[in-house]
Amino acid sequence: MRRQVEKESDCRGLKGVHIMSQRTERRGIHVDQSDLLCKKGCGYYGNAAWQGLCSKCWREEYQRIRQKQIQDDWALAEKLQREEEAAAYASSHGVQSQSHSQHTPPQPHPGHAALGPFSKFEEKKTNEKTRKVTTVKKFFSPSSRVAAKKENQDGKIPSPSISRHSSIETDQVSRDFVDFLKNFQKPGREIHKQCRAFIESTSSKKDLSAEEFSECVQDFYQNMADRLMSHFKGSSECVEQVMDQVEKYIMTRLYKSVFCPESTDDEKKDLLTQTRIRALHWVTIQMLCVSMDEEIPEVSDNVVKAITDIIEMDTKRVPRDKLACITRCSKHIFSAIKITKNEPASADDFLPALIYIVLKANPPRLQSNIQYITRFCNPSRLMTGEDGYYFTNL
């Protein structure tokens, strides 16, 4: 009996040691790779800004919700209009009855007896209906949902040197785009014409929210890609090259209007993120269980490059260029881990190292840059490939 008890005790002890060893090995930050994928199971990478969905599934979900909202808005408008008409009719009918009981006017021709009151009622009904429809349209217009922008930013005037640099960069991108399209002759001229028309039309839409503006850009990307696919007869490589140039041209021209717009809380989130990162200055590389030895010169060099890349992201205007900074940063992290461990880095090694780099860099306007990429980058880059993987981790 005693031997059996001792044997069971030894078994429990071995199990406890095994569990503790597993916990020791699994110490740190771990994310299941399935958590990075779209929640609808389509196989593409999801995004926290899209509620865990990929860009394709999110667009479908967004359009479904938007369509339902439009239907609900019109149903409410029709209900309000019916109630207003009923109230107008009741009011007119009551006034007519009271007037008839107090005064008995001479009896006119039977055909004209009801014509006067009826015409007045119709006039009043038409006025009430017009006023109500105008009110409803104003109520559901985009301008009522978006706060009016402050004029001239409280008197702040951008630096002439910054404006001059932006103008030079924009002009150079425009020239490069025209030179690139010359290779395609007539189709190239058509692409340029459509891009310019899109920029002019969207620039005039001052009341659009960030999400609505994103929807317009993504719709343009999709329509342009479909046309290019039919022109190049399914050559995805050619389509991707043209779409990269289209994105560069459009977003460089629209950058000032759509990056960190006043209609969002992006700037507020940026300040909160930077404050939070500063408050975590005491976190060390050992606390995060990061597999990087900065005493090794090559590792230290890769860490510096990774920090530089993620800070440099804020200087770029094109979503693809910002995304490229994240990709380069991530590759430097993988290189640093590989040199330290003398073996390829795993996903469990990468995430805590990425967090460590972000804490050390405290990159400017991190939330605004992430939102900008999410809203205006070519969706195919965020859904698949190494760019999509690295961005999803960030």
Side-chain angles (χ1 to χ4, degrees):
M1 184 68 177
R2 182 183 296 174
R3 288 181 181 178
Q4 186 176 357
V5 172
E6 290 176 354
K7 188 174 181 180
E8 291 177 357
S9 178
D10 291 341
C11 289
R12 285 195 297 269
L14 289 172
K15 287 181 181 178
V17 171
H18 180 64
I19 292 172
M20 287 299 294
S21 64
Q22 280 187 333
R23 288 177 180 172
T24 303
E25 291 173 2
R26 297 292 293 174
R27 212 170 35 137
I29 301 169
H30 305 280
V31 175
D32 193 335
Q33 294 306 293
S34 61
D35 294 337
L36 302 179
L37 299 178
C38 176
K39 288 185 177 180
K40 287 201 171 182
C42 63
Y44 294 122
Y45 290 121
N47 191 305
W50 296 324
Q51 300 177 5
L53 304 177
C54 68
S55 62
K56 182 175 180 294
C57 294
W58 169 247
R59 276 165 58 79
E60 293 174 354
E61 184 70 12
Y62 177 79
Q63 288 173 354
R64 184 187 66 79
I65 295 173
R66 190 177 179 184
Q67 188 63 33
K68 185 177 183 301
Q69 183 64 46
I70 291 172
Q71 292 174 354
D72 292 345
D73 289 350
W74 277 111
L76 177 59
E78 291 174 356
K79 180 182 177 182
L80 292 173
Q81 185 172 329
R82 287 195 299 268
E83 291 176 354
E84 191 75 16
E85 290 174 355
Y89 176 78
S91 175
S92 176
H93 186 69
V95 170
Q96 182 181 356
S97 300
Q98 184 178 2
S99 176
H100 182 72
S101 62
Q102 291 178 355
H103 305 285
T104 307
Q107 296 295 327
H109 187 275
H112 294 285
L115 185 59
F118 180 76
S119 62
K120 290 181 180 179
F121 167 68
E122 281 295 316
E123 182 180 356
K124 184 175 181 181
K125 180 180 177 182
T126 302
N127 292 337
E128 290 288 341
K129 183 177 180 180
T130 304
R131 183 178 64 82
K132 193 61 191 174
V133 170
T134 304
T135 304
V136 169
K137 285 182 178 179
K138 186 183 294 185
F139 182 74
F140 292 114
S141 65
S143 59
S144 65
R145 299 193 301 268
V146 181
K149 295 185 177 181
K150 295 180 181 178
E151 292 187 4
N152 297 328
Q153 289 281 324
D154 296 328
K156 293 181 181 178
I157 302 174
S159 169
S161 60
I162 295 176
S163 300
R164 195 181 309 115
H165 176 73
S166 301
S167 177
I168 293 172
E169 183 181 354
T170 302
D171 292 342
Q172 184 60 48
V173 168
S174 299
R175 286 194 294 269
D176 292 343
F177 186 58
V178 171
D179 292 339
F180 172 79
L181 293 177
K182 286 180 181 178
N183 300 322
F184 304 100
Q185 298 179 354
K186 185 177 179 181
R189 291 194 295 271
E190 184 63 26
I191 292 170
H192 186 249
K193 180 181 177 181
Q194 291 178 11
C195 290
R196 287 191 61 182
F198 174 75
I199 291 171
E200 291 173 2
S201 66
T202 51
S203 297
S204 63
K205 298 176 181 177
K206 303 297 184 182
D207 292 332
L208 287 182
S209 67
E211 287 71 22
E212 290 169 333
F213 213 117
S214 172
E215 188 73 11
C216 290
V217 173
Q218 295 297 336
D219 285 342
F220 181 79
Y221 285 162
Q222 186 63 51
N223 293 332
M224 178 65 73
D226 291 342
R227 293 178 184 178
L228 292 173
M229 190 63 73
S230 62
H231 174 73
F232 290 113
K233 296 179 172 56
S235 176
S236 57
E237 185 177 348
C238 293
V239 172
E240 186 174 339
Q241 289 177 359
V242 176
M243 288 305 301
D244 286 344
Q245 294 299 319
V246 168
E247 178 189 315
K248 183 177 181 180
Y249 175 67
I250 289 177
M251 297 317 303
T252 301
R253 297 285 298 272
L254 297 176
Y255 181 77
K256 290 183 179 179
S257 305
V258 300
F259 182 82
C260 193
E262 293 181 4
S263 59
T264 67
D265 59 350
D266 292 351
E267 186 176 0
K268 181 180 178 181
K269 290 180 179 178
D270 288 333
L271 295 174
L272 289 173
T273 300
Q274 283 204 314
T275 302
R276 179 60 177 160
I277 289 177
R278 288 194 196 102
L280 295 173
H281 64 88
W282 50 269
V283 175
T284 64
I285 195 169
Q286 291 79 17
M287 292 177 181
L288 295 172
C289 302
V290 178
S291 302
M292 293 192 305
D293 185 358
E294 293 187 83
E295 297 295 326
I296 302 174
E298 288 183 75
V299 173
S300 178
D301 187 48
N302 275 288
V303 168
V304 171
K305 288 179 179 178
I307 292 173
T308 303
D309 284 329
I310 200 165
I311 291 176
E312 188 181 354
M313 174 176 61
D314 189 56
T315 66
K316 305 298 182 181
R317 287 187 161 209
V318 185
R320 177 170 58 92
D321 293 343
K322 290 181 181 290
L323 190 60
C325 290
I326 297 174
T327 299
R328 288 197 303 272
C329 168
S330 301
K331 287 184 175 180
H332 288 310
I333 292 173
F334 271 101
S335 296
I337 297 172
K338 183 178 180 180
I339 294 169
T340 301
K341 297 181 66 177
N342 289 321
E343 62 181 23
S346 65
D348 285 341
D349 295 325
F350 171 67
L351 185 57
L354 178 61
I355 293 172
Y356 174 69
I357 293 297
V358 171
L359 291 179
K360 287 201 70 172
N362 197 359
R365 300 192 291 188
L366 180 60
Q367 288 293 334
S368 290
N369 281 293
I370 290 176
Q371 289 297 332
Y372 180 71
I373 294 171
T374 301
R375 291 168 185 151
F376 302 111
C377 188
N378 192 330
S380 62
R381 288 189 173 276
L382 301 183
M383 292 164 61
T384 57
E386 62 179 8
D387 290 340
Y389 173 77
Y390 296 140
F391 183 70
T392 303
N393 276 275
L394 182 63

